[in-house]
Amino acid sequence: MRITPSILNADFTRLGDEIARVPSADAIHIDVMDNHFVPNLTIGLPVVESVRAMTAQMLDIHLMIEDPDRWAPSYAEAGAESVTFHMEAARAPVRLARTLRAAGARAGAALNPATSASVLTSVLGEIDTVLVMSVEPGFGAQPFLDLVVPKIAEIRSMISAADLDVWVQMDGGISLETIERCVEAGADTFVAGSAVFRAQDPDQMVRQLRDTAQAASAGARTVSACACGRRG
Ligand code: DX5
Ligand code: ZN
């Protein structure tokens, strides 16, 4: 179970200090928005390059931009360990995933809440992460959309059926209240923005979210082992 805090709700004037507040994070999730793919504008490559220079933590870039085919490779070349593009925006997702991997990054494919899991069929073997949006992308602190939970299970089955090692990352409205249902459906990686950066102790919240996810995962394994035992 991995927790990747999003800095979208951090204080951008003190980005270095804010990142230093979450040493237990598995990665720092950076939301790049272009005001075209989503109705919001955040930060781009120069800021990511500065962040790269100040931390050794894994950088997880979430590109909510048009034309990721053109822009995404620069983030991998800048040293980000993971670069995620949206399937709704990519023109040639297989080629893009291969380019990102060749540049040394994990390749991620993101789906908006209304995008069906079936768009992943041809790219699943080319990527390292599926990011499932559980809010409409563009802003932090929106309520979790429960309608995406069945899609998590669908994606996890596709990954298992193909015997692949692909992370299933949830993004949007993740908190101590919503993380368990995502784990039970098959997610293993969690972006949390407002839940972490609005907490009094952000690092403690990271650890609490991970503990809650791990407990839910252990519980889910016990339930499925019991169900198998009953069938047998
Ligand atoms: C939203 C971004 C998220 C956002 C999550 O479009 O992709 O990463 O920061 O924020 P919370 O956890 O507050 O929903
Ligand atoms: Zn994000």
Side-chain angles (χ1 to χ4, degrees), residues 11-152:
D11 179 350
F12 277 12
T13 66
R14 303 169 44 247
L15 214 41
D17 296 340
E18 292 283 74
I19 290 170
R21 288 173 83 199
V22 286
S24 304
D26 292 287
I28 302 298
H29 182 86
I30 302 183
D31 292 300
V32 174
M33 305 185 188
D34 67 351
N35 207 26
H36 292 277
F37 182 71
V38 287
N40 197 4
L41 185 65
T42 56
I43 56 175
L45 191 58
V47 176
V48 170
E49 285 170 339
S50 299
V51 169
R52 174 70 299 161
M54 61 71 56
T55 181
Q57 273 180 300
M58 176 176 177
L59 299 185
D60 173 33
I61 312 298
H62 179 191
L63 298 174
M64 283 159 278
I65 60 171
E66 284 183 358
D67 205 0
D69 305 67
R70 177 173 176 195
W71 302 109
S74 316
Y75 291 85
E77 285 154 18
E81 288 85 351
S82 177
V83 180
T84 296
F85 57 86
H86 268 263
M87 286 299 286
E88 300 85 356
R91 274 180 244 178
V94 170
R95 183 174 62 205
L96 180 52
R98 289 185 180 185
T99 304
L100 292 171
R101 282 175 155 186
R106 295 175 60 86
L111 304 185
N112 282 341
T115 303
S116 155
S118 62
V119 304
L120 294 168
T121 311
S122 318
V123 296
L124 211 49
E126 306 285 340
I127 58 175
D128 303 287
T129 304
V130 175
L131 183 154
V132 180
M133 288 302 310
S134 34
V135 297
E136 294 291 357
F139 301 93
Q142 301 181 75
F144 181 83
L145 292 173
D146 259 305
L147 61 88
V148 305
V149 174
K151 188 162 69 178
I152 306 170

Side-chain angles (χ1 to χ4, degrees), residues 119-217:
V119 304
L120 294 168
T121 311
S122 318
V123 296
L124 211 49
E126 306 285 340
I127 58 175
D128 303 287
T129 304
V130 175
L131 183 154
V132 180
M133 288 302 310
S134 34
V135 297
E136 294 291 357
F139 301 93
Q142 301 181 75
F144 181 83
L145 292 173
D146 259 305
L147 61 88
V148 305
V149 174
K151 188 162 69 178
I152 306 170
E154 203 182 328
I155 293 167
R156 177 53 71 196
S157 310
M158 290 166 72
I159 293 167
S160 303
D163 200 19
L164 294 168
D165 179 17
V166 176
W167 297 357
V168 178
Q169 181 177 36
M170 302 305 302
D171 187 1
I174 296 299
S175 67
L176 290 172
E177 200 196 315
T178 57
I179 198 166
E180 289 166 303
R181 65 192 87 160
C182 300
V183 172
E184 284 156 12
D188 54 22
T189 307
F190 302 91
V191 178
S194 49
V196 166
F197 281 102
R198 289 185 186 173
Q200 221 162 32
D201 182 341
D203 202 54
Q204 189 192 11
M205 179 53 72
V206 170
R207 293 193 303 271
Q208 252 181 295
L209 285 164
R210 190 184 295 112
D211 289 349
T212 305
Q214 269 160 1
S217 166

